[in-house]
Amino acid sequence: MKKSTLKVIPLGGLGEIGKNITAIEYEDEIIVIDCGVSFPDDDMLGIDLVIPEITYLLENKEKVKGLFITHGHEDHIGSIPYILKQLNMDIYATRLTIGLIESKLEEHKIDNRNLISVKEGDVIKFNKLSVEFIRATHSIADACSLAIFTPIGTIVHTGDFKIDYTPIDGRVMDLNRFSALGEEGILLLMADSTNVERSGHSLSEKTIGETLNRIIGGATGRVIVATFASNIHRMQQVVDASLKENRKICFSGRSMENVSNVAMELGYLHIPEGEVISVDELNNHDDKITIITTGSQGEPMAGLSRIAYGNHRKIKLEPNDLFIISASPIPGNDKMISKVINQLYKKGAEVIYEDLEDVHVSGHAYQEELKLIHSITKPKYFLPVHGEYRHLKHHADLAKKMGMPGQNIFTMETGDVLEITEDDAKVAGKVRTGVLYVDGIGVGDVGNIVLRDRRNLARDGMVIIVFAIDRENFYLASGPDVITRGFIYARESEEIINEIKEVSRQKIEECLADEAVGWQVLKGSVRKAVENLLFEKTKRRPSVFPIIMEV
Amino acid sequence: MKKSTLKVIPLGGLGEIGKNITAIEYEDEIIVIDCGVSFPDDDMLGIDLVIPEITYLLENKEKVKGLFITHGHEDHIGSIPYILKQLNMDIYATRLTIGLIESKLEEHKIDNRNLISVKEGDVIKFNKLSVEFIRATHSIADACSLAIFTPIGTIVHTGDFKIDYTPIDGRVMDLNRFSALGEEGILLLMADSTNVERSGHSLSEKTIGETLNRIIGGATGRVIVATFASNIHRMQQVVDASLKENRKICFSGRSMENVSNVAMELGYLHIPEGEVISVDELNNHDDKITIITTGSQGEPMAGLSRIAYGNHRKIKLEPNDLFIISASPIPGNDKMISKVINQLYKKGAEVIYEDLEDVHVSGHAYQEELKLIHSITKPKYFLPVHGEYRHLKHHADLAKKMGMPGQNIFTMETGDVLEITEDDAKVAGKVRTGVLYVDGIGVGDVGNIVLRDRRNLARDGMVIIVFAIDRENFYLASGPDVITRGFIYARESEEIINEIKEVSRQKIEECLADEAVGWQVLKGSVRKAVENLLFEKTKRRPSVFPIIMEV
């Protein structure tokens, strides 16, 4: 009997493809991989988070067997609280990842969930599909790749990974398992493309340890390290370097406290009892302290910025503080980070960052690591994932250079469906997907029209022209009054305000003279006249809102 | 007789210090150096340009002897049209720089100016101060450093520079002159700090030539190069590589056409007659074409983006086009550039950029170049300029490591006054300065209050509540009506709109019951009630504007 078609569908995601959530479907079973957030672009004004739009999964919800999480980064777990409200799924992940998801669900007060803690080598079996967790290395502990066994063949999904032969926890990526699967035959490889533009091999997390030892060893005052809250191995290295110098450790920032607590409880972060002090105890302590804080991206509301600008409630900057920013700028954040660095220097502190010392390594595989994975997995088909289109393209090129035929490689966009049969594979059709904006507690209620209005308001502000019209006798009963915000400093612009009033009044009276005029026409003609006036006088295009009150 | 005090005052500028405009003052003479723009930060919504605020110069305008421009980049000449309207100055610069300034002034329709073309070695003498132009190398042709001779001693100001021993025009930086001045004794060195965090030596512009030859030599379709319009030597290299392949040259984009015309006219860009075709001729031409265009920073309105997104009026993308982005992302622009690259790849074009090939070199000196300048100029005092605070700090550290006493180095902020006498030097006081925002044709009329309003409107939009009150009988004559923009999609949010009306009506009637209530109090209480309602329901804080019409 001929077997059915296997489908692989990257859903959601902003810019990066196949990152936030992916569906793998065979007949009446769907496996979902990861469930993360994207962070809004600069022009998504006021948006807090971007989550996947999962119509496809909702329409096929009886098929969904479970959600498999590769690791605990926000772009892989951040949407879980939102998505679970729409579609309840069993969630499978390793222990630390489960711990981080639990803490997130608690924050969102979500109880009705089924979290299943797995370990490497575990295989979760359904009728037709089964999923194996394979140990990987990444910039968070307990990361996994996945093997998905299907009646058509095996899919290997690397998840985010790098190949670190000397990880801090000693748990090297299980290359032997990748190799064995490769020997058995892999139908489809899905692999991380983030760093495909970087030649060579990424450096081991351990290489930072020596630098940290030297820098922290030489510090005379407090040390304040900003890093990603999720990078537990980085934390461990900072802790180890600090304890050598008899420094106490203090975690500051909500996510830093959360993650360090989870990691300590579960045994992923090792700090002897009594060595951690709380932020409240800082004031009664000498300078033999290392503070580990959030804000490594220069985020204005996070720990590092607050300390730099003197508005942290508990931590006051001292001139002999040594700051270490142990992170890379995520694209788009360079300017914010640079501002914080400038501010720290102005206050007289020392600051060490990536441009000056090797205090950060990437968590994603470089070209030679990717080649290794391609080489030992020897897949029939290849689907580059986790990257913007340029990265997928280069990852496809890399596979071609390694000898894979071009027609076996699929550079897809979100919503594209990769269909694989026993005989061939092709991109066939597209399912509805996209993203939803989270703004405050609203999910999806801010769409493109609202954002376009925000952008217009942001660019040149607005001008409201309000006037009352007597509905019976059809005359201007009051106004026009003019209110502006974000357009011009009104107190110093009486002249232009008066011109707006004058132009509006003329238009209103002109229109009212025509008794048949409708309010929409009247408003439109006032708007047009004022827009023209303002563009001519200022070359700006504020949003103009004429408002009529009938009295 | 004791000599007077020499003052050095960096003015204007956003983030970078001593970049846009600097005053050097001795008794009744002031020399002004450069007159550039800054580009607005992301949170300066709607702002087009940022120019220096020059109150200090206006208050001392009878002292100002002239404006000396080091080179023709926007951050050194871009404010001239705005500043000349406030303060007419003689402008001294080399030929190409003058050409670029002229074209800028024509665009702004400014006639009453006195532009004086100088060449290297020229000395412009006033009573007490004189200024010498010294040949430098930078990412624009005809760049200069300045020596300012004062009764107290000589100041050397490097301007933006790199040390390129094989510049495209063969005109190597005049290190011998720096050396001779160093032998005579230099009082103060002011030097470019942009790349002080980069170790080693920058690469020569010429190194790109080979890469361009290889890439353009291998291209089968059209070649489209995006680069900075001002980088005439880069243009020349692209032209040379293209002519070798019998490609015609086409310049596209307003600034690209402007600059290439000025540079060809003045003999800085060499293209044999008949080899340049206009954009209009493109359609009647085969693929043996190289188009040089703007938009290397991913700017949405510039050439490259327009071509990528298919909205360029004259240039349509073809799948075998080869794009070369011959530029580095300026901090903050990475995401925009990446989007354009993704789009070009999606359309099937090839794209070469800095991460893939050596198609760009920096125009600013690295550490070893800076050390060379310090070494041969042997200044008594040092003022690092052209950089954010972090760069100045590191440049100061570099000078210290080379043996300069810390008290002779001044890390200043904009508006600080460096006072130098025969005996010593110190930062003494501050003058009024800052920046003005240019928005449309308005200069300085958008200030921090307007920007704050724009940011508020941008974040969560706005809600207008308008109602009419009978001024005699003190009752609600009409409304409340509710208008929202950028808050929520109103057509799908009837419920919340009705709640806003209801809460407002309650508040209005409550207030009107108290006959002594003032309109301000009434408005305040409606605003507060609606703000609370909306925050509770949505966790958003739109700007709420209650508007009362008296009828």
Side-chain angles (χ1 to χ4, degrees), chain A residues 15 17 39-43 45-48 197 331-332 334-335 337-339 341-343 345-347 349-351 353 355-356 388-391 393-394 397 413 438-447 449-451 453-455 457-462 464 466-468 471 477-481 483-490 492-493 527 535-540 545-551, chain B residues 15 17 39-43 45-48 197 331-332 334-335 337-339 341-343 345-347 349-351 353 355-356 388-391 393-394 397 413 438-447 449-451 453-455 457-462 464 466-468 471 477-481 483-490 492-493 527 535-540 545-551:
Chain A
I17 290 134
F39 294 96
D41 286 348
D42 284 345
D43 61 350
L45 298 167
I47 300 300
D48 301 320
E197 293 178 8
D334 322 47
K335 266 185 153 177
I337 298 173
S338 203
K339 279 187 182 175
I341 293 171
N342 289 331
Q343 181 64 18
Y345 277 133
K346 282 183 195 171
K347 293 275 188 83
E350 255 322 306
V351 194
Y353 45 99
D355 294 342
L356 306 178
E388 298 172 35
Y389 197 88
R390 63 191 254 195
H391 303 114
K393 155 85 165 77
H394 290 132
D397 289 346
E413 295 189 52
V438 179
D439 183 2
I441 53 177
V443 177
D445 61 344
V446 170
I449 295 175
V450 172
L451 282 187
D453 286 343
R454 285 186 189 173
R455 279 193 286 268
L457 290 167
R459 195 191 50 214
D460 283 328
M462 58 146 188
I464 300 170
V466 58
F467 47 96
R471 89 188 78 193
S478 180
D481 287 347
I483 294 143
T484 79
R485 282 294 185 288
F487 165 54
I488 210 162
Y489 191 47
E492 293 173 359
S493 316
R527 181 186 302 118
F535 186 71
E536 188 195 314
K537 292 274 172 181
T538 66
K539 293 277 178 291
R540 296 180 207 165
F545 305 113
I547 300 175
I548 304 176
M549 298 263 25
E550 284 185 67
V551 291
Chain B
I17 291 134
F39 294 97
D41 286 348
D42 285 343
D43 62 349
L45 299 167
I47 300 300
D48 302 319
E197 291 179 8
D334 322 47
K335 266 184 152 177
I337 297 173
S338 203
K339 279 187 182 174
I341 292 172
N342 290 331
Q343 181 63 18
Y345 277 133
K346 282 183 196 171
K347 294 273 188 83
E350 256 322 304
V351 194
Y353 45 99
D355 293 342
L356 307 178
E388 298 174 35
Y389 197 89
R390 63 190 254 195
H391 303 114
K393 155 86 165 77
H394 290 132
D397 289 346
E413 295 189 52
V438 179
D439 183 2
I441 52 176
V443 177
D445 62 343
V446 170
I449 294 175
V450 172
L451 282 185
D453 286 343
R454 286 186 188 172
R455 278 192 288 267
L457 290 167
R459 196 191 51 215
D460 283 329
M462 60 145 186
I464 300 170
V466 58
F467 47 96
R471 88 188 78 193
S478 179
D481 288 346
I483 294 144
T484 79
R485 282 294 185 288
F487 165 54
I488 209 161
Y489 190 49
E492 292 173 358
S493 314
R527 180 186 301 119
F535 187 70
E536 190 194 314
K537 293 273 173 184
T538 66
K539 291 281 176 291
R540 296 180 207 165
F545 305 114
I547 301 175
I548 304 176
M549 299 263 24
E550 284 184 67
V551 290

Side-chain angles (χ1 to χ4, degrees), chain B residues 204-235:
Chain B
S204 170
E205 176 67 28
K206 198 159 265 175
T207 57
I208 304 171
E210 286 173 37
T211 315
L212 290 175
N213 283 339
R214 177 168 48 77
I215 296 171
I216 295 177
T220 54
R222 300 185 305 182
V223 173
I224 298 167
V225 182
T227 188
F228 297 109
S230 58
N231 199 334
I232 289 148
H233 289 156
R234 186 70 47 85
M235 272 190 221

